[in-house]
Amino acid sequence: MPDVDGTDAAKQYYTDVPQTSKRYFLKGSDSLDWGMKNRLGRIFNPVSGKTVMLAIDHGYFQGPTTGLERIDVNILPLEPYADTLMLTRGILRSIIPPDTQKSIVLRVSGGTSILKELSNEALAVDIEDAVRLNASAMAVQVFIGGEYEKETIINMTRMVDMGTRYGIPTLAVTAVGKDMVRDAKYFRLATRICAELGAQYIKTYYVPEDFETVTAACPVPIVIAGGKKIPELDALRMAYQAIQAGAAGVDMGRNIFQSASPIAMIQAVRAVVHDNEIPEKAFDLYNTLKK
């Protein structure tokens, strides 16, 4: 219905106030489209600029991992404390309640098991299914230096192209083969390649020496993998040191769900990532909460 006559004088156009545009809070993401920024803003906390992702996608190549035998029993109690769940579409559809308010990072590469060459992956999920599942991002494994390096890089670039079309970010997951050296030089190479070819953010491993050069050389956000289970205080120290060296969060699985007290551990990790708590105090929190 049009305005009635005589109301023009009451309108406020604020001609003396220039319109401003707020820069997006995530590194390297300012030029992304609105939908992609909105999805990244569900993964990363806009206040801290960080994320605590709970990785529970291990079963896509290694079956019922210790701690993931019953996701409904072991993992659903952790869901309230995670910013994001990283998982497969099978687990999402069969177990995760559809009324969850947590963002979803969907594992979309696969095709091999621990019985075969792991780098021989393909895209295992259609982009339309990621749209149907309301995914906030899609995770693709990239094996830089692996036997099927080229194929996994092309998997990632194809998903970047499709994700850009639909406004869904691609998370490149840098895999490290058992015979590869884990050092800053390798991770600078792997993360930079993924960023150069269009990944909106990257998951990689933390290394104590020169990790700040890895994050500095990568123009998009990096989250660190938790890796194999280590003592709780060591895991908290790893997360803290990574954040101090420029990481934008963690994607932690076994160091949470294989902990003696997973609910206490994920809250301690949150304190480190979002509140910049030092590891020793976060460990005190863990011990207090597990009682």
Side-chain angles (χ1 to χ4, degrees):
M1 182 175 180
D3 288 339
V4 297
D5 292 340
T7 61
D8 284 354
K11 294 180 179 178
Q12 294 291 332
Y13 293 100
Y14 299 101
T15 57
D16 59 332
V17 182
Q19 179 174 314
T20 59
S21 297
K22 183 179 179 181
R23 288 186 63 85
Y24 196 62
F25 69 96
L26 273 183
K27 174 182 179 180
S29 305
D30 203 52
S31 63
L32 298 177
D33 200 6
W34 191 94
M36 198 167 284
K37 288 179 180 176
N38 181 264
R39 288 182 171 91
L40 286 170
R42 300 179 203 168
I43 297 168
F44 293 89
N45 184 313
V47 176
S48 68
K50 306 293 192 297
T51 185
V52 174
M53 297 174 58
L54 180 60
I56 56 170
D57 60 330
H58 305 67
Y60 92 95
F61 72 99
Q62 63 183 35
T65 306
T66 302
L68 297 180
E69 302 93 340
R70 286 288 302 273
I71 289 176
D72 58 329
V73 175
N74 296 332
I75 300 302
L76 287 185
L78 302 175
E79 185 253 10
Y81 306 100
D83 297 312
T84 298
L85 300 177
M86 179 168 164
L87 74 179
T88 63
R89 61 179 170 181
I91 293 301
L92 181 60
R93 281 194 167 105
S94 61
I95 296 177
I96 305 302
D99 59 356
T100 181
Q101 297 303 300
K102 303 301 179 179
S103 55
I104 299 299
V105 174
L106 195 66
R107 165 66 65 177
V108 297
S109 64
T112 57
S113 76
I114 53 174
L115 304 178
K116 297 288 186 178
E117 168 56 46
L118 290 178
S119 67
N120 191 17
E121 283 196 350
L123 293 180
V125 177
D126 191 281
I127 182 70
E128 291 185 0
D129 214 20
V131 173
R132 276 190 289 269
L133 291 169
N134 198 28
S136 292
M138 304 171 295
V140 182
Q141 207 82 3
V142 181
F143 291 81
I144 302 299
E147 182 177 348
Y148 292 90
E149 175 188 80
K150 175 185 175 182
E151 289 82 355
T152 62
I153 290 175
I154 297 304
N155 289 341
M156 185 202 73
T157 60
R158 286 180 59 201
M159 197 51 69
V160 167
D161 288 340
M162 289 186 284
T164 300
R165 189 176 304 137
Y166 290 92
I168 304 177
T170 296
L171 167 63
V173 182
T174 62
V176 181
K178 60 183 179 181
D179 297 323
M180 295 181 192
V181 176
R182 296 191 182 195
D183 59 16
K185 182 178 180 180
Y186 171 80
F187 291 121
R188 286 194 301 268
L189 174 70
T191 58
R192 184 59 176 262
I193 287 173
C194 293
E196 293 267 358
L197 292 175
Q200 280 77 33
Y201 77 115
I202 297 167
K203 173 181 175 178
T204 196
Y205 288 92
Y206 172 75
V207 288
E209 186 174 353
D210 296 330
F211 187 73
E212 67 277 6
T213 67
V214 178
T215 59
C218 184
V220 298
I222 285 178
V223 297
I224 66 155
K228 294 180 179 180
K229 177 69 175 71
I230 56 178
E232 281 77 5
L233 180 56
D234 291 343
L236 294 170
R237 284 173 174 155
M238 176 178 67
Y240 179 82
Q241 290 162 3
I243 295 297
Q244 299 307 304
V250 302
D251 187 17
M252 197 170 280
R254 287 168 288 182
N255 277 300
I256 291 175
F257 61 71
Q258 290 180 356
S259 170
S261 180
I263 291 178
M265 185 60 180
I266 194 171
Q267 290 181 82
V269 171
R270 288 190 65 83
V272 168
V273 172
H274 288 304
D275 302 329
N276 205 31
E277 189 63 271
I278 64 172
E280 291 73 19
K281 287 190 176 181
F283 188 57
D284 288 342
L285 174 65
Y286 165 79
N287 285 319
T288 297
L289 292 173
K290 78 173 185 178
K291 292 178 181 178

